[in-house]
Amino acid sequence: MSLWVDKHRPTSLNKLDYHKDQASRLKMLVQSGDFPHLLVYGPSGSGKKTRIMCLLRELYGSGVEKLRIEQNSFTTPSNKKIEISTISSNYHIEVNPSDAGNSDRVVIQELIKTVAQVNQLETSTQKEFKVVVLTEVDRLTKDAQHALRRTMEKYMATCRLILCCNSTSKVIPAIHSRCLGIRVAAPTIEEISQILQSTCKKEGLNLPLELAKKIAVKSNRNLRRALLMCEACRVQQYPFSPDQEVAEPDWELYLKETAGMIVQQQSPKRLLEVRARLYELLTHCIPPDVIMKGLLQELITNCDGQLKTEVVQNAAFFEHRLQLGQKAIYHLEAFVAKFMAIYKRFFEEGIADLF
Amino acid sequence: MAKQQSTLTSLWTQTHHSNIDDSVIILSDDDDLAFQPPVKKVACNQDISVLKAVSSKKAIQWVSSSFGDFEKDVDRCHNKPSSASASFLNKKSTFKSSQSHAGKREGTVSSSNNSSLNHIKQKANTDLWSDKFAPKIQSALAVHKKKIAEVEAWMQQQLIANTKRSSMLLLTGPAGVGKTATVRVLAQELKFELQEWINPITSQYSGTFSVEENPIHRTDKRYDAPLSESQLKLFQDFILRASRYNSLDIFGSNSAGKKILLVEDFPNIFFRDAASFHEILRKYRQTGGNPIIFIVSDSTRGESNQRLLFPQELQQNLHIDNISFNPIAMTSMIKVLSKIASTEAAQKGGTFECPSKSVIESLAMSSAGDIRAAVNALQFACLKGICDKRRDRTSKGQHGKSKPVDPNKNFLKCKKSAKVLDLETSAEAELAAIGGRDTSLFLFRALGKILYCKREDPSTCENLPALPPHLSQYYRDPLQIYPEDVVEKSHLSGEYFTAYLHQNYMEFFSELEDVVQASEYLSCADFLTINWATRSALQDYAVSVATRGIVFCNTSKARHSSSGSGLGWKPLHKPQCYTTAKMVRENLENASFFFKGYSWHPDVLHTEIIPYLSLTNTTLHDPGQIRFVQEMCRYSSHQIKSSERLNEQDVDIMETEDHEDYGMRKNNSIGSFPCTGMEVPSLGLPVDADDDIPSSQPDVKNIPPDDDDVVIEDYDD
């Protein structure tokens, strides 16, 4: 299986399509022989991972592309076994410590210790440090982040960390200040449509500019998404027509339907139906915050100006709880109920004004 | 010393004339040592004799169980050696007593007689009322008529039907609701012979003990030998053989009637190894024989014996009928208690103080439908009355120190003398301490109590705080329940209880505004417990917020008169959020298994990659991947999966199930894809999912798999 997203992923810093200035700076950084810990952040689908892989290739050559998957198991002090899969080459190791849940601290400490204690084989030809890539750093517990801070300093000699996250707001300042922050901004609509067109050219297809723009807008400046959409369009219809529909994933359609149901009728019975649909979405591994966001975006289009602020305020209130709480469904449901009440009140007032 | 010895021997022989055996005593030759134990033995022998008398009497009154003749048998067996030993002892004692003064002996004997008489009197007083007043006829049973009729119908059916296959009946219900009593009474009325299994006491250690201590006991060991077989074997023998052979007609018991086996006392081994029990049952079912009645007491805790010993499928396979008893109703309980109290009063005459009606009522209330506990509590409560009387008398100096004082009574006395306050209220409080037990609620009822939130008539209550006029909308009639109390009695963690409430509260609300508030309270409850360090402490507050929030928000039930209006009975469901969480975990695991070659974050994988994989014509090498993608992209648009219904007696066993299931799935998911309840089309070729698979699918199959630009070597072992 190879999606266009994988197939046409740029492999070197030179080949990157946008933020070229930043790419050349990274190249300079590598050429200077050494580099600090990095904190790469930016929205989803902006090419953080691609950039990191390019950087590693620049550092170690094509050897980093020989990847293997390993299952590492760690034992917590409370004798609980944790299995974590890592992707590694001879020069680097990539791990998503948030898979470990609450005991991510152990994973981070053990993993970095084992990696850092083994020196590179040939220091003469290779760099003398290894790289540990940690993804989803913003999902780490505070405990793990503090552990990371200490580990970073301790093993500076033999290993470098590249941290990757969507937002730095959940990364503690202590880590933030120890790393060189690299922000990878989402590509602009123009950049995306250009990439889409060049990708299609490589595939031997002809993509009209209008459709490329349409996809780019619809993808919400998420390049990965844009490429996937483009590929879906290709399956849907070829040759492309400029006014063709851009396919959306099923869950989004389902979510939109759900939002429609909420606007249609406001009653406890309907809320019960909505709850069942929310459960269905959750079962399909759609993260609750994504559901909340999607719902709000759909619902807000049905609201008038004054109402919008109230709805958004409530959404923010419950989203905050949702992030902190354990039972997402309580908060999602509370938000839906609140929206129903607001909307119903607004509607009844509107009718009262008419007469 | 010699005197003392002689008195002791005489006392000893005296007791041995009453045909009670204690063969151990004879065996030691050393007098000084031998005389230490008999003193104790005498007392305990007397106890035995009294108990024996009572129990044999009881056996006659009660129902002539097949073990009745066993008891007699035992008596007979005991008689022989004891008479022999007595004669032996007599010789010994005459030899000893010849050395002592006769007059002295006379005196001691009389005194010992006296004390033994006292003892018997005492015993009769303290015999458990639950045994003494056990029902003998059907009308005396406090069990609901319908239940009795059900059991009776089953028994009569056994009487008529003479099928090869033996039928089994399972009686369940909380402890002390009269399951056994019903069976016994009915068996007697229908002329059934009841054969009960009683766990044998394995005599392994006593055997070794006797070998070391005294060689004579070796002969006894031969009789012990069959007992040291495994309980399992013994039980099997009992079950399979008891029906074969009739009991010997030596004692003129009514062996003409049909037999029923009664198993109430399950051998311990079956709780560890239920499968062997099931095996025995199957065998019994096939070989046929007399009907069996099993009695299992419920518990509100998770480890229900019924689930373990009689799983649903076994009950269906072997056609085991199940009749479950409910707690005894208050009215019949009060009736029985007052009847017992009055008969007791009639028997005792002036010395007995009949407890007041309110006392009986409060006893019945605190026993939570357990009639045995209630009767015993009543006895205990009456005992206190006697005690009070006695104290009065002792203070007057009429009675000496002749009556031994029970430490319990002593304690009560102290308590009483300490509290010379208001008699009525203190009595009430103490009664609760006597008869009360930790009541518990089945989950179903606990949820019902919160969701239906019955309220009291405010006119009956006094001193209700009034709300200022501008807050009158928040006025609610006083509640009949304490929400925290209900949660505590449900034996469930706050989190689970809240989840159950969340699953079910919506159906009880009619106003959207109320739902908004209630859902917000639930959200608050979850928010209270976000910090794991303080979670355990805050859990109680969270559940309090949730329950009280839901009770308060339901404005349609704000008044006592409005309760239950137009709602009727609603089914309750198990919380979906745990099953959902489980499925999410499973799906995530499967996803990371099928797509482990790609280092996508789970979020990205599920929101972007998998949905688009189903839309594009990418070749998936693994049929598991194909199926997984199809499944993950199918949304049930109209059919709402209703979660499992909650049964009246369900206890929460979700946690353990969850865990087991999880582990099992984990094993399964390696290599094969678990198809959890969803329809999975046959391999690769979609049956009904044309829209999920691109039209160009056949072409795609011919395209050779491209070489990935990322070479991934799988070192997974």
Side-chain angles (χ1 to χ4, degrees), chain A residues 62-312:
Chain A
S62 59
V64 285
E65 284 167 10
K66 285 229 181 303
L67 294 173
R68 57 179 181 267
I69 303 169
E70 276 170 358
Q71 286 284 338
N72 294 33
S73 72
F74 300 92
T75 317
T76 62
S78 55
N79 254 338
K80 192 180 152 201
K81 285 233 163 173
I82 309 160
E83 292 260 313
I84 287 278
S85 65
T86 58
I87 297 172
S88 58
S89 72
N90 287 336
Y91 309 102
H92 85 289
I93 182 163
E94 184 187 325
V95 68
N96 184 353
S98 62
D99 287 349
N102 274 333
S103 26
D104 47 3
R105 182 179 64 86
V106 186
V107 173
I108 285 203
Q109 282 180 325
E110 291 295 313
L111 189 91
I112 296 180
K113 211 195 291 178
T114 45
V115 170
Q117 278 171 350
V118 182
N119 282 323
Q120 290 285 30
L121 286 177
E122 285 180 82
T123 40
S124 52
T125 54
Q126 303 289 354
K127 297 277 185 266
E128 56 190 8
F129 53 83
K130 284 185 175 182
V131 170
V132 177
V133 180
L134 298 176
T135 55
E136 292 193 64
V137 183
D138 44 354
R139 297 224 178 158
L140 285 180
T141 57
K142 287 275 178 299
D143 223 20
Q145 293 197 27
H146 284 291
L148 191 58
R149 178 182 69 174
R150 176 82 189 96
T151 322
M152 274 165 119
E153 287 168 353
K154 204 169 167 189
Y155 298 109
M156 187 66 186
T158 49
C159 98
R160 297 286 180 278
L161 292 177
I162 298 182
L163 313 176
C164 182
C165 61
N166 282 344
S167 151
T168 52
S169 63
K170 281 187 186 169
V171 179
I172 57 169
I175 287 184
H176 203 166
S177 77
R178 281 171 172 77
C179 299
L180 175 68
I182 297 171
R183 179 166 179 269
V184 184
T188 58
I189 307 266
E190 284 74 34
E191 281 165 344
I192 289 181
S193 44
Q194 263 176 26
I195 293 167
L196 287 180
Q197 279 188 315
S198 64
T199 310
C200 282
K201 205 180 262 172
K202 280 182 208 158
E203 284 283 319
L205 308 169
N206 183 25
L207 181 72
L209 187 65
E210 288 89 344
L211 184 63
K213 273 246 165 78
K214 201 171 162 184
I215 293 173
V217 170
K218 200 131 197 186
S219 72
N220 225 350
R221 290 177 67 191
N222 180 336
L223 184 58
R224 174 173 45 233
R225 216 163 180 199
L227 281 166
L228 286 167
M229 279 176 167
C230 187
E231 203 175 345
C233 285
R234 154 79 181 77
V235 175
Q236 209 175 44
Q237 184 185 348
Y238 190 78
F240 294 115
S241 73
D243 53 350
Q244 102 180 70
E245 276 296 308
V246 179
E248 282 179 78
D250 296 312
W251 65 269
E252 280 190 358
L253 296 175
Y254 192 76
L255 190 60
K256 276 179 187 163
E257 251 175 65
T258 312
M261 282 170 68
I262 296 169
V263 174
Q264 228 173 45
Q265 191 192 330
Q266 295 86 32
S267 69
K269 192 168 162 284
R270 180 48 65 92
L271 186 56
L272 212 56
E273 287 166 36
V274 170
R275 181 207 277 178
R277 292 175 76 96
L278 291 178
Y279 271 132
E280 183 79 13
L281 279 167
L282 286 173
T283 314
H284 284 74
C285 302
I286 310 298
D289 50 333
V290 174
I291 295 177
M292 181 69 115
K293 219 165 126 185
L295 264 185
L296 178 65
Q297 269 173 356
E298 283 305 311
L299 292 175
I300 209 91
T301 52
N302 291 301
C303 295
D304 276 5
Q306 180 59 35
L307 222 50
K308 269 182 184 153
T309 53
E310 201 179 340
V311 170
V312 170

Side-chain angles (χ1 to χ4, degrees), chain B residues 239-490:
Chain B
I239 287 272
L240 297 177
R241 281 187 195 157
S243 53
R244 289 282 161 78
Y245 312 110
N246 283 326
S247 54
L248 294 176
D249 202 7
I250 301 171
F251 308 104
S253 62
N254 49 345
S255 57
K258 211 177 170 188
K259 266 195 281 187
I260 281 191
L261 305 190
L262 178 66
V263 179
E264 198 174 359
D265 201 8
F266 291 92
N268 291 332
I269 183 75
F270 293 145
F271 296 108
R272 249 178 292 159
D273 182 18
S276 58
F277 177 65
H278 301 160
E279 202 47 50
I280 292 176
L281 283 193
R282 287 204 182 87
K283 213 184 269 176
Y284 185 68
R285 171 87 188 160
Q286 273 173 4
T287 51
N290 293 318
I292 306 190
I293 297 177
F294 296 100
I295 296 180
V296 178
S297 287
D298 290 345
S299 62
T300 42
R301 297 293 307 137
E303 63 278 8
S304 168
N305 295 337
Q306 192 200 335
R307 263 172 214 280
L308 181 74
L309 294 173
F310 296 95
Q312 210 63 42
E313 52 102 14
L314 185 85
Q315 283 189 35
Q316 281 184 351
N317 278 352
L318 300 184
H319 304 283
I320 302 177
D321 300 293
N322 188 353
I323 299 174
S324 80
F325 280 58
N326 293 328
I328 304 275
M330 273 288 274
T331 47
S332 54
M333 175 101 78
I334 291 171
K335 214 187 284 172
V336 168
L337 289 184
S338 39
K339 200 174 155 196
I340 289 175
S342 55
T343 31
E344 188 70 10
Q347 277 176 13
K348 293 280 167 65
T351 57
F352 184 79
E353 189 186 359
C354 194
S356 65
K357 201 166 163 30
S358 65
V359 171
I360 287 182
E361 266 173 28
S362 65
L363 276 175
M365 188 96 81
S366 62
S367 69
D370 182 346
I371 193 153
R372 181 169 34 216
V375 171
N376 287 340
L378 177 72
Q379 181 181 15
F380 194 42
C382 292
L383 203 67
K384 198 193 74 183
I386 294 166
C387 178
D388 283 347
K389 277 248 161 77
R390 191 176 295 159
R391 188 190 56 149
D392 288 344
R393 269 186 228 154
T394 45
S395 63
K396 278 171 200 165
Q398 283 180 344
H399 257 254
K401 293 155 198 169
S402 62
K403 284 198 178 176
V405 182
D406 208 330
N408 271 337
K409 289 172 206 160
N410 222 347
F411 169 67
L412 270 176
K413 215 191 261 182
C414 297
K415 218 171 161 188
K416 259 263 127 64
S417 54
K419 278 190 202 168
V420 206
L421 297 163
D422 186 11
L423 261 172
E424 277 298 306
T425 49
S426 67
E428 294 271 314
E430 269 175 39
L431 273 179
I434 297 164
R437 58 176 216 174
D438 291 339
T439 49
S440 56
L441 286 171
F442 280 108
L443 180 58
F444 189 84
R445 281 174 47 77
L447 286 176
K449 276 195 189 295
I450 299 291
L451 292 171
Y452 286 98
C453 57
K454 296 226 172 91
R455 292 178 186 278
E456 273 177 55
D457 190 355
S459 57
T460 60
C461 311
E462 287 162 23
N463 304 327
L464 278 180
L467 284 174
H470 68 280
L471 294 175
S472 58
Q473 53 184 340
Y474 297 120
Y475 174 75
R476 306 279 189 271
D477 278 346
L479 275 177
Q480 276 186 0
I481 47 154
Y482 287 102
E484 289 79 16
D485 207 31
V486 172
V487 175
E488 196 182 314
K489 282 179 186 170
S490 75

Side-chain angles (χ1 to χ4, degrees), chain B residues 103-257:
Chain B
K104 189 85 185 175
R105 188 182 138 202
E106 208 64 10
T108 45
V109 167
S110 62
S111 77
S112 79
N113 259 343
N114 242 347
S115 72
S116 75
L117 265 175
N118 269 343
H119 216 99
I120 289 165
K121 226 178 184 177
Q122 195 62 38
K123 268 290 157 190
N125 278 345
T126 52
D127 185 24
L128 278 184
W129 285 6
S130 55
D131 292 333
K132 194 173 165 190
F133 295 101
K136 286 153 203 125
I137 49 168
Q138 196 178 333
S139 57
L141 283 170
V143 184
H144 196 270
K145 294 271 183 300
K146 271 188 188 165
K147 289 287 169 198
I148 303 176
E150 263 183 71
V151 180
E152 195 177 7
W154 185 86
M155 281 188 166
Q156 267 165 351
Q157 202 189 327
Q158 305 315 310
L159 213 53
I160 303 158
N162 227 337
T163 45
K164 279 279 171 204
R165 310 219 159 244
S166 55
S167 41
M168 304 179 195
L169 176 70
L170 173 64
L171 296 183
T172 53
V177 298
K179 298 183 291 292
T180 317
T182 309
V183 171
R184 288 190 190 282
V185 167
L186 286 177
Q188 198 191 19
E189 287 190 356
L190 296 173
K191 300 272 187 304
F192 271 111
E193 196 184 330
L194 215 55
Q195 253 182 347
E196 189 176 350
W197 162 259
I198 292 166
N199 279 344
I201 297 154
T202 45
S203 52
Q204 219 166 14
Y205 74 92
S206 70
T208 53
F209 171 75
S210 62
V211 167
E212 280 171 18
E213 289 293 301
N214 34 45
I216 293 175
H217 260 259
R218 247 180 218 165
T219 49
D220 282 357
K221 218 197 158 206
R222 203 176 55 206
Y223 301 112
D224 288 348
L227 281 178
S228 62
E229 276 184 76
S230 73
Q231 279 201 345
L232 186 130
K233 185 82 177 26
L234 287 172
F235 182 74
Q236 190 173 351
D237 286 351
F238 168 77
I239 287 272
L240 297 177
R241 281 187 195 157
S243 53
R244 289 282 161 78
Y245 312 110
N246 283 326
S247 54
L248 294 176
D249 202 7
I250 301 171
F251 308 104
S253 62
N254 49 345
S255 57

